[in-house]
Structure formats: C-alpha cells, structure tokens
Amino acid sequence: MKKQKRTTIYDIAKKLNLNASSVSRALSNNSNVSEATRQLILATAKELNYQQNSMASNLRKGQNQTIGVIVPHINQNFFADIIAGLEEVTYQKGYNLVICQSNESYLREIKCVNTLINQHVSCIAISICADFEDDSHLRNIKEHGIPLIQFDRVTDTLDTFKVLNDNEQASMEAVSHMIEQGYKRIALLEGPQNLNIFRQRKEGYLKALKKHNYPLVPELIKENAWTKELGAESTRQLLSLPEPPDAIFASTSDFSALGVLEVATKKGLKVPEELGICGYSNEPFTEITSPSITTIDQYSVSMGKAIANLYFQEIDFMDNGSHPQTVSIKPQLIVRSSTLRNKNRV
Amino acid sequence: MKKQKRTTIYDIAKKLNLNASSVSRALSNNSNVSEATRQLILATAKELNYQQNSMASNLRKGQNQTIGVIVPHINQNFFADIIAGLEEVTYQKGYNLVICQSNESYLREIKCVNTLINQHVSCIAISICADFEDDSHLRNIKEHGIPLIQFDRVTDTLDTFKVLNDNEQASMEAVSHMIEQGYKRIALLEGPQNLNIFRQRKEGYLKALKKHNYPLVPELIKENAWTKELGAESTRQLLSLPEPPDAIFASTSDFSALGVLEVATKKGLKVPEELGICGYSNEPFTEITSPSITTIDQYSVSMGKAIANLYFQEIDFMDNGSHPQTVSIKPQLIVRSSTLRNKNRV
DNA sequence: CTGAAAGCGCTTACAG
DNA sequence: CTGAAAGCGCTTACAG
C-alpha cells in the first residue's frame, strides 16, 4: 500500500542492456562513457522519470552535502536573516540546509546536535542557547570528524571556527556617541552574562565610559533586561532613582529599547531631550517608532553568508586540524532621533 | 586526511563477540534481545561514542523521517513563524526539517523540489512562488509517491492536501468594519492576481461592498501594491484623484499599509479621522506606529503546526489516494487606532 | 569505453 | 534470544 517502487539505475540498465555502473557514470556525467550511450541513458532516465536516491549516493560517498544549523529561534529576525544568508550560499553550491531550533534549551540543543551527527552532515553551524551549560556536545561534533562553526553566541572553551560580530566595538561606539551628544548619566540594560555577546557589549560600555572619564555608577547597570517587559521594568526602576539616568543603552535588543521608550513616553519624558535611548539589532520597527530609535545593525544576512563561505573556503583545512579561523563582522551604529539632541549631527 | 572512521555496529559487535544484528536490535531497542546483552551493547556503544548512521538506516528502511519545506523567503515573519511552528511539531515526532527558499523564482522552486525528491523526504510542504507557472514539478512529487501539502499560496490545478487561511472571510470582515466606521470610499491595494491569496482578499473586499450596497469604483483599486514603496506610490495616486478615498485597505501586507501611513502623514492627513488604514498580517510593527495600524492576524505559528499535524494524522491515508483534506485557519481582524474613528468601539 | 564485484552501514525476514 | 545472509541504491577501484 505504501510507495510504489521508484526507478533505479538498474531499471535503466536493464532496459538498455547495460551495466548499472555505466548508468551511474553517465548520470554523474563526469566519467568515461561514450557520448552515444550517455545520450541513451539520459533519455531513458527522463522517460522513466528517474530521480537519484541521495540516501544511497551519500551513504556510498560517505557524506551528504548538507549543512546543519542550530539556532535558539528560527523566527527572530536576526536568526531568520542569518539562515536566509546561509541558504543563499549553500544553495549556490548545491548543498542543503537542515535547521534545528534549540528554543534556548540546553537539553534540546544536545538532541539537535546528536541528530545532525547521525545524519553525517558536512558541517554544523551553531549559535548556542542562553541555557548553555558545557561544551561536551560540541566536542562530540569534533570527535565525529564534523567541522564545527560557531557564530554570534559562542563558547570560548572550545577552539573552533567562529563568525562573530564585534559587539564590544559597536557598543563602545554607541555609548561614545551618546556621550558626545551630551548625556551625562548613561544606564546599561545588560543581558545574561553567560553569553559572550552580552559580556562584550557590557565591556564596550565600560570602555567608552573610561575613555571619556565617566564614572562607573553601579546602580545604573540593570541585569537581565532582554525583553520588552524586562526593559520596561528596569526603566521604571532607573527613573525612580534619586539621580535618574538621562540616557539608557538597551544593549540586549531593540525590544528592550522599545520597552524603555514606552515607559518614558508614559511618564511624559521627552526623547531624546530628557532621555536618550539606544537599542541593538536594527529591527525593522526601530525606524518607525516616534521618535525613531538609534540602534546597531548586525548585517545578519551577510553573517549567514560568511558562515557558509567560511565552510566552503576552509573545508580542506578543517579536517587537518589547522588553527581555526575567526571571522569578524563589523556592526554599524545607526544614529536616529532617539539619541540626537543637539544640532551638530554626526 | 579526511574523516577518521566512525564507530559502527560492527565495531561494537566485534568487541563483544556478537553479531551485528544483535547490536542493531539492542540499539533500536524494540526487538528481542536479552536484557543482559542489551545492557552490554548500550554500554559499549556509549564507550565507543557510537552514533547511528542515519543515511544507512534510512536507505535500508526506505524513508528518512524528514519533512521538506519550500517557501518564497525564510526571513519574512509570516514564513519564519510557519517554519517555527512546523519545527516544533516535527521535533516532537523525531522528524527533521529541510528548508529551501525559492526566492520567488519558479526555476529555483523546481530545483528545490527535485532536491527534496532525491532526498526521499517523507513529505513536502510548499507555498508557491509569485513567479509560479505550472504545476508539473508538483505532479512529479506525487508521481514519486511523496505526500504533498500546499499551504497559504496554493495552486488549485492540483488536488492535494492544503492548509489555508480564510483570506476572503478576513478581508470581508476588515472592509465591513471600515464601512461600519463610516468610511464611504474605501480603496483596495491588491497583490499579484496569479496568487490565490490575493484573489481571495480582493473577493472579500468586493463581497463586503456588495453586502453593504456600496458601489464598486474601479479607480479605487490599485494593482500590484505589495511593498512599502508600491503602497506609498499607489497612495499618492489615490489621494490625487478628484474624489480621493477616505480609507485604504492594503490587502497585500502591513508593509504596504505602512507606506500608506507615511504618505498620509506627510500630506498632513489625519488618521483615522480623514483616512482609515487597514493592513494585513499583523507584523509586530503595526502595534507601535502612530497611530497603531488595524490589521489581520494569520496565526502563522499555528499554521505551521497544522501543516505538520496534518501530515502525521493523515500519513496513512496520504498513500492510498483518498481525497485530500483541506485545513482552514481562521485569521482574526485586529482593530486598532488607524480605523477607529467613531466612539462606539467594536 | 564497458562490465563484474565489492562495499557504504544499516535492518529484517529466516532459521535454529 | 542469537546468528547468517540478503539487500536498500548507489559509486568506484579493478580488469579487460
């Protein structure tokens, strides 16, 4: 009742009184077959509606032209863009993409890794979950001889290829920009510090303060404010300080920055005059809020392409244990109204 | 230099002086093996860091527990959400997802289909591209015995399982709502009419007019306005009519509606007092524009789940040619400020 | 240029 | 409960 039998190279061979090996050669179309028989074979293949069985071919060849990707969430702009970029390049190369989402769960991330190892994918690209505990599953990837590329959220306990945003530099630029706009007390909304990206963004903030001889005020730093709601809550707390901030850098995300903006608006604070706001990621909506939100573009589609290109360029080196390379993507500060309070525009 | 050899069931068998078949049985853990040997086998499997080779297993079993999805773009909220929903369910079932994007190109869509057929995926789910020409590639899927589910953008030339939004109903509700708010001349921004979804939305618009005895005014219907720029351009044309519209239904997308809003704002028109605006899709940004934009939520994550569930529920029927089922998701009108101009709220 | 054979790593009737 | 064998559909040295 299930699946009628599909045409195989044997069916073609039988019909033409040839050996299956000839058929295989003609179809892979790079070996020695006479032009005459090749044409015959291609014609009957079309006639019988032949489609290669990749499972068999891959098993025999020992690899499957597939890149596995693991992301916390597929449906977040940043990751969706990365995947789109990845897909673009892998498609050009005739590779496929298998996608898994960890849902920010460590256990699920491990399961995804195992599935991809079982599938003998050619490469695994991963951005680790917020819940990350240790790197044993990542080591397992390497132990099975599969090239591993970490991107964006990475662990440094493991020496792998990496594609990163220069979060520290971008944060530093953002905060410096706010300082140049005359803001005096700049608060930081930070994300989970077990993720490298959030540590780096904090580092950038600290460096910018230092560079401009600004004091570090601990009460202006709020942990774990990486959703709109948490951003709003932190803002309420910050604004009720005896000496409230005159600017807030939502280093976690634009969603957090949106929470800041909403609270500020509700309290009747003028943005950017009384409160400056800067987000992170350049989500589409930052352009259309009132005022529009200053943020940082991460070039996520390019990042996806960079990951794929790294694989295809380094594929030969990846196996022989040469020192893994790190590609850094430079994010760009997008200055908009929410931080522009004096005339001398940047 | 490439890939060190991986542990196979033979390695385990050899080490334990057993036959590979016993190892296979123990590992698939549902056949007859004594508890003692099973434990032994599991232990050595762990010790040797064994991971099954899915390629071999799938080849032998003739299927690969993978669902292939083809969408126009991965990084559009609607599709990203669908994929996230799909992934959620397939993950629970131990299935994998292979994702392809057609980039709205017909040729590329064909290539994606062929790749998925070659891979012997268990099911193909597709939302066709704007460039769609004919259904021969989709027929080819069925000819290869692979269950096919069309979703959202579908062709009716082929009798397949379908998961659809009730676009007509939703559009009708949206336009009726605007009529009830007292708008008299409601313009329509329509999308490419070769796609079913845009035909249905137009149909809903026409039905609503008819139901309320509103005349159909051809000059108020603008073709091909499915980006922000095209929406803006159409709006400029509409507003310079001798008798301009007092409401615009951007049936193509919220991006188009955003274009409408921007032009209206620039011209100093008050929304919703002087111009009502309704979009489509409930993109996150519609909530935070000023005014917020009335739109239609498509429950895209649920739609993704529905696709996967349809496959898992109907998997047995799909092969024996029973009449394909159609699942309809009811979208919901989200009324916001951009169309609310009188007090009696809905 | 073509054929015959082995093998990729599993699973699954078939015996015992 | 365990073993021996065949086979999933390809590809690729090896002969000729």
Side-chain angles (χ1 to χ4, degrees):
Chain A
M1 155 166 300
K2 292 207 69 165
K3 310 253 165 100
Q4 61 274 42
K5 212 171 153 319
R6 289 162 62 145
T7 310
T8 71
I9 54 172
Y10 285 95
D11 300 322
I12 299 175
K14 198 180 295 171
K15 180 146 188 182
L16 294 176
N17 269 319
L18 284 169
N19 190 282
S21 41
S22 295
V23 177
S24 171
R25 280 190 280 258
L27 258 25
S28 66
N29 97 88
N30 54 353
S31 299
N32 316 328
V33 207
S34 76
E35 193 49 31
T37 52
R38 152 172 285 121
Q39 290 309 331
L40 256 173
I41 288 168
L42 292 182
T44 27
K46 178 158 267 180
E47 180 195 337
L48 298 178
N49 199 8
Y50 171 79
Q51 299 251 182
Q52 188 198 52
N53 183 328
S54 316
M55 285 187 283
S57 160
N58 291 337
L59 172 60
R60 179 53 228 256
K61 293 197 284 193
Q63 63 130 334
N64 68 356
Q65 311 253 100
T66 294
I67 292 182
V69 204
I70 302 172
V71 293
H73 289 288
I74 294 167
N75 53 344
Q76 287 182 357
N77 278 305
F78 176 65
F79 293 116
D81 282 348
I82 285 183
I83 291 170
L86 256 169
E87 205 275 347
E88 198 56 44
V89 177
T90 51
Y91 171 79
Q92 304 291 353
K93 297 277 185 179
Y95 271 57
N96 285 103
L97 216 53
V98 172
I99 300 181
C100 307
Q101 63 183 350
S102 64
N103 260 324
E104 302 285 11
S105 147
Y106 183 61
L107 279 180
R108 189 153 162 184
E109 183 173 302
I110 291 176
K111 282 198 185 173
C112 294
V113 165
N114 285 335
T115 306
L116 294 177
I117 293 179
N118 290 356
Q119 297 203 125
H120 279 231
V121 293
S122 308
C123 171
I124 292 179
I126 188 173
S127 196
I128 62 177
C129 63
D131 219 20
F132 187 83
E133 292 176 18
D134 72 78
D135 64 10
S136 50
H137 58 311
L138 302 185
R139 287 184 193 280
N140 200 19
I141 294 174
K142 299 184 83 175
E143 278 162 20
H144 280 88
I146 300 177
L148 171 63
I149 302 179
Q150 295 192 80
F151 64 93
D152 196 54
R153 301 182 184 179
V154 305
T155 172
D156 286 326
T157 57
L158 204 61
D159 199 25
T160 68
F161 283 81
K162 287 173 193 146
V163 177
L164 302 172
N165 265 302
D166 191 342
N167 287 283
E168 184 178 317
Q169 175 66 22
S171 284
M172 207 173 98
E173 283 178 23
V175 176
S176 296
H177 155 73
M178 290 194 265
I179 290 175
E180 283 153 17
Q181 288 291 316
Y183 294 107
K184 296 297 177 200
R185 290 176 63 82
I186 301 170
L188 173 73
L189 304 189
E190 68 177 25
Q193 294 291 301
N194 62 327
L195 289 180
N196 61 308
I197 54 170
F198 296 129
R199 287 196 303 272
Q200 291 161 356
R201 292 177 196 176
K202 182 175 190 175
E203 197 54 42
Y205 166 82
L206 297 175
K207 285 202 175 160
L209 294 187
K210 196 162 191 182
K211 181 174 157 201
H212 294 270
N213 290 315
Y214 269 50
L216 166 57
V217 186
E219 73 223 44
L220 291 183
I221 297 182
K222 289 290 184 185
E223 314 185 318
N224 241 15
W226 71 329
T227 63
K228 184 174 144 185
E229 288 68 30
L230 293 171
E233 178 52 30
S234 298
T235 304
R236 276 187 287 269
Q237 293 171 13
L238 285 167
L239 293 180
S240 58
L241 285 175
E243 276 190 89
D246 61 357
I248 298 181
F249 175 33
S251 80
T252 46
S253 71
D254 286 325
F255 293 98
S256 180
L258 185 59
V260 177
L261 177 58
E262 290 187 358
V263 169
T265 306
K266 227 169 268 172
K267 298 227 177 205
L269 277 178
K270 283 193 179 171
V271 179
E273 292 79 358
E274 297 171 299
L275 187 74
I277 302 176
C278 179
Y280 209 109
S281 285
N282 198 16
E283 293 283 338
F285 69 77
T286 50
E287 207 177 348
I288 59 176
T289 47
S290 337
S292 58
I293 300 175
T294 294
T295 184
I296 288 154
D297 191 296
Q298 300 186 90
Y299 296 105
S300 27
V301 175
S302 305
M303 194 160 185
K305 290 184 181 173
I307 295 166
N309 286 328
L310 183 58
Y311 171 69
F312 291 113
Q313 283 159 23
E314 301 298 322
I315 183 168
D316 297 323
F317 306 111
M318 284 191 175
D319 293 311
N320 64 22
S322 68
H323 186 65
Q325 190 181 330
T326 293
V327 173
S328 186
I329 308 274
K330 197 180 162 333
Q332 191 184 351
L333 178 65
I334 311 281
V335 175
R336 299 215 184 87
S337 311
S338 68
T339 55
L340 264 187
R341 73 169 176 186
N342 65 26
K343 304 291 173 186
N344 36 334
R345 306 230 152 184
V346 264
Chain B
M1 155 168 299
K2 291 206 72 167
K3 309 254 164 99
Q4 60 274 44
K5 212 171 151 322
R6 291 161 62 145
T7 310
T8 70
I9 54 172
Y10 285 95
D11 300 322
I12 299 175
K14 198 180 294 168
K15 180 146 188 182
L16 294 176
N17 268 322
L18 284 169
N19 188 283
S21 41
S22 296
V23 177
S24 171
R25 281 189 280 258
L27 259 24
S28 66
N29 98 88
N30 54 353
S31 298
N32 316 326
V33 206
S34 76
E35 196 49 31
T37 51
R38 150 170 287 122
Q39 290 309 332
L40 256 174
I41 288 168
L42 292 182
T44 25
K46 179 158 266 180
E47 180 194 339
L48 298 178
N49 199 7
Y50 171 79
Q51 299 251 180
Q52 187 198 53
N53 182 329
S54 317
M55 283 187 285
S57 161
N58 291 337
L59 173 59
R60 180 55 228 256
K61 292 197 285 193
Q63 63 130 334
N64 67 355
Q65 312 254 97
T66 294
I67 292 182
V69 203
I70 304 171
V71 292
H73 289 288
I74 294 167
N75 54 343
Q76 287 182 358
N77 278 305
F78 177 65
F79 293 116
D81 283 347
I82 285 182
I83 290 170
L86 256 170
E87 204 276 346
E88 198 56 43
V89 176
T90 51
Y91 171 79
Q92 304 292 352
K93 297 277 184 179
Y95 271 57
N96 285 103
L97 217 52
V98 173
I99 300 182
C100 308
Q101 63 183 348
S102 63
N103 260 324
E104 303 284 10
S105 145
Y106 183 61
L107 278 179
R108 190 152 161 186
E109 183 174 301
I110 291 176
K111 281 199 185 172
C112 294
V113 165
N114 285 334
T115 307
L116 294 178
I117 291 178
N118 290 355
Q119 296 203 125
H120 280 230
V121 293
S122 307
C123 171
I124 294 180
I126 188 172
S127 197
I128 61 178
C129 63
D131 220 20
F132 187 83
E133 291 175 20
D134 71 79
D135 63 10
S136 50
H137 58 311
L138 302 185
R139 288 183 191 280
N140 200 18
I141 294 174
K142 300 186 83 177
E143 278 162 19
H144 280 88
I146 300 177
L148 171 63
I149 301 179
Q150 296 193 78
F151 64 93
D152 196 54
R153 302 182 185 179
V154 305
T155 173
D156 286 325
T157 57
L158 205 60
D159 199 25
T160 68
F161 284 80
K162 287 174 192 148
V163 177
L164 301 173
N165 265 302
D166 191 343
N167 287 283
E168 185 178 314
Q169 175 65 24
S171 285
M172 208 174 95
E173 283 178 22
V175 176
S176 296
H177 156 74
M178 291 195 264
I179 290 175
E180 282 152 17
Q181 288 292 314
Y183 293 107
K184 296 298 177 198
R185 289 176 64 82
I186 302 171
L188 173 74
L189 304 189
E190 67 178 25
Q193 293 291 300
N194 62 325
L195 288 180
N196 61 307
I197 54 169
F198 296 129
R199 286 196 304 272
Q200 291 161 356
R201 292 178 195 175
K202 182 176 190 174
E203 197 54 42
Y205 166 82
L206 296 176
K207 285 202 175 161
L209 294 188
K210 197 162 190 181
K211 181 175 158 201
H212 294 269
N213 289 316
Y214 269 50
L216 164 57
V217 185
E219 71 222 46
L220 291 183
I221 298 181
K222 287 290 183 185
E223 313 184 319
N224 241 15
W226 71 328
T227 64
K228 183 174 144 184
E229 288 68 28
L230 293 172
E233 177 52 29
S234 298
T235 303
R236 275 187 287 271
Q237 292 170 13
L238 285 168
L239 294 180
S240 59
L241 285 176
E243 276 190 88
D246 60 358
I248 298 181
F249 175 32
S251 79
T252 48
S253 72
D254 286 325
F255 292 99
S256 179
L258 184 60
V260 177
L261 177 58
E262 289 187 0
V263 170
T265 306
K266 226 169 270 169
K267 298 227 176 203
L269 277 177
K270 283 194 176 167
V271 179
E273 293 79 0
E274 296 171 299
L275 187 73
I277 302 176
C278 178
Y280 210 108
S281 286
N282 198 17
E283 294 282 339
F285 68 77
T286 50
E287 206 177 350
I288 58 177
T289 46
S290 340
S292 58
I293 300 175
T294 294
T295 185
I296 288 155
D297 191 297
Q298 300 186 90
Y299 295 107
S300 26
V301 176
S302 306
M303 195 161 185
K305 290 184 181 173
I307 296 166
N309 287 328
L310 183 58
Y311 171 68
F312 290 114
Q313 283 159 24
E314 301 298 322
I315 182 168
D316 297 322
F317 306 110
M318 285 191 172
D319 292 313
N320 63 22
S322 69
H323 186 66
Q325 189 182 331
T326 294
V327 173
S328 186
I329 308 274
K330 196 180 162 335
Q332 191 183 352
L333 179 65
I334 311 282
V335 175
R336 298 214 184 88
S337 311
S338 68
T339 55
L340 264 189
R341 72 170 175 185
N342 63 28
K343 302 292 172 186
N344 35 334
R345 305 228 153 186
V346 263

